[in-house]
C-alpha cells in the first residue's frame, strides 16, 4: 500500500458546479483514498445519487482502506479497528434485486483506478456477457456522468483521464501499461486450480479484485 500521510481530515467539499480544474482534482486524491463517498460527491456532483446502502458500503470501504494503510505505515491502530478491519481482505455485498450492486462495483473500480498509483484491477464474473453487458457498460456510463473539466471541450474528468475499451480501462498517460482495470472471465466448469491460474500472476502494491455474481 502507498503511504497516505499528510492529508487533512478537515474538509470542505467543492460547490456543486459543472466545471472543476485539474488542480482541484489532484489536491484531493490522497484524501479521497479513505473518504470514498466524498470522492463520489466531488467527481460526479448531482449526476450520481447514492442510496443509503451504497453510502454505507463506500464508508466501510474507506474505513477498511484507512486501517490497511495505517498498518502498512506502522501507525497505531486501535484494538477495535484491528479486530473489525485489520484481517479483512475486502467487502461482500448480499444478493438482492434492485440494490445497484453492479453500479456499486463500477464506482469502486473507477475509484481505485483514480486514487491509487499504478493499480491493477481485475474484474471477473461467471460469464463474459455479464462483464461486458452489465459491469463494463456501467463503467462507461459512470465515466460519462462524471463532472466536466474546465474548458469548452465538454469532456468529463474521468473521460479525460481514462480510456475505455471493451475489456480494459486504462490511464491514458500510461498507454495501457501498468495502470489499468481488466475484465477476465473464469469458467465455473474449470477445476479450482484452473480457475486460480486464470487470476494468478498479478503483482502490484495496489491490487483490487471485483468478483461479480460471486
Amino acid at each position: 500500500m502507498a503511504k497516505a500521510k499528510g492529508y487533512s481530515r478537515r474538509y470542505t467539499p467543492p460547490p456543486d458546479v459543472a466545471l472543476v480544474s485539474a488542480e482541484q482534482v489532484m489536491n484531493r486524491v490522497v484524501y479521497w483514498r479513505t473518504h470514498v463517498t466524498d470522492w463520489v460527491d466531488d467527481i460526479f456532483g448531482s449526476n450520481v445519487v447514492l442510496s443509503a446502502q451504497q453510502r454505507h458500503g463506500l464508508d466501510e470501504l474507506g474505513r477498511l482502506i484507512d486501517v490497511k494503510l495505517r498498518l502498512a505505515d506502522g501507525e497505531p491502530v486501535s484494538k477495535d479497528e484491528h479486530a473489525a478491519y485489520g484481517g479483512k481482505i475486502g467487502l461482500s455485498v448480499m444478493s438482492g434485486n434492485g440494490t445497484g450492486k453492479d453500479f456499486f462495483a463500477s464506482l469502486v473500480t473507477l475509484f481505485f483506478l483514480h486514487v491509487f498509483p499504478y493499480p491493477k484491477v481485475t474484474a471477473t464474473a461467471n460469464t463474459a456477457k455479464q462483464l461486458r453487458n452489465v459491469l463494463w457498460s456501467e463503467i462507461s456510463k459512470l465515466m460519462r456522468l462524471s463532472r466536466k473539466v474546465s474548458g469548452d471541450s465538454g469532456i468529463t474528468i474521468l473521460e479525460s483521464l481514462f480510456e475505455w475499451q471493451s475489456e480494459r480501462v486504462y490511464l491514458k498517460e500510461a498507454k495501457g501499461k501498468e495502470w489499468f482495470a481488466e475484465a477476465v472471465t473464469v469458467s465455473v466448469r474449470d477445476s479450482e486450480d484452473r480457475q486460480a491460474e486464470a487470476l494468478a500472476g498479478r503483482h502490484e502494491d495496489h491490487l483490487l479484485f471485483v468478483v461479480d455474481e460471486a
Side-chain angles (χ1 to χ4, degrees):
M1 286 283 191
K3 293 186 177 181
K5 297 178 179 178
Y7 64 84
S8 173
R9 294 189 181 272
R10 292 172 297 177
Y11 175 70
T12 302
D16 189 12
V17 295
L19 300 180
V20 295
S21 68
E23 289 76 17
Q24 284 178 305
V25 172
M26 294 310 299
N27 287 341
R28 291 182 174 86
V29 165
V30 174
Y31 172 88
W32 282 329
R33 291 175 187 169
T34 55
H35 300 78
V36 193
T37 54
D38 286 335
W39 175 83
V40 175
D41 292 340
D42 290 352
I43 296 299
F44 296 96
S46 59
N47 294 332
V48 165
V49 179
L50 297 171
S51 69
Q53 287 177 313
Q54 290 161 350
R55 282 192 174 273
H56 175 68
L58 293 175
D59 285 340
E60 284 297 294
L61 177 62
R63 293 185 186 101
L64 175 62
I65 292 172
D66 183 44
V67 172
K68 294 291 188 182
L69 287 172
R70 284 189 282 141
L71 286 172
D73 290 344
E75 296 179 4
V77 173
S78 72
K79 290 183 179 179
D80 288 344
E81 288 176 321
H82 197 287
Y85 303 102
K88 288 179 69 71
I89 61 172
L91 300 178
S92 62
V93 179
M94 292 179 62
S95 62
N97 294 323
T99 58
K101 297 186 301 296
D102 289 290
F103 169 78
F104 184 89
S106 301
L107 275 178
V108 171
T109 298
L110 288 168
F111 158 77
F112 206 84
L113 278 177
H114 190 195
V115 305
F116 286 106
Y118 300 100
K120 285 187 173 63
V121 180
T122 300
T124 189
N126 293 334
T127 66
K129 182 179 179 180
Q130 172 73 16
L131 281 174
R132 181 178 62 252
N133 293 351
V134 181
L135 184 62
W136 234 243
S137 175
E138 195 73 20
I139 289 173
S140 175
K141 176 183 176 181
L142 284 171
M143 289 174 62
R144 175 174 55 81
L145 288 177
S146 61
R147 291 174 184 262
K148 296 186 184 303
V149 298
S150 300
D152 300 322
S153 66
I155 194 170
T156 69
I157 294 171
L158 296 181
E159 287 175 333
S160 70
L161 292 171
F162 300 104
E163 185 74 26
W164 183 96
Q165 295 180 342
S166 60
E167 295 182 345
R168 176 175 282 217
V169 180
Y170 62 87
L171 184 73
K172 290 180 179 180
E173 289 187 5
K175 299 179 180 179
K177 301 176 182 179
E178 298 186 273
W179 195 312
F180 58 83
E182 59 179 344
V184 178
T185 304
V186 178
S187 175
V188 296
R189 292 186 293 272
D190 284 344
S191 67
E192 290 186 7
D193 289 342
R194 289 289 299 274
Q195 291 182 37
E197 185 179 344
L199 298 174
R202 289 159 177 80
H203 305 286
E204 193 52 76
D205 287 341
H206 304 102
L207 289 173
L208 174 69
F209 289 90
V210 178
V211 184
D212 199 6
E213 298 293 341

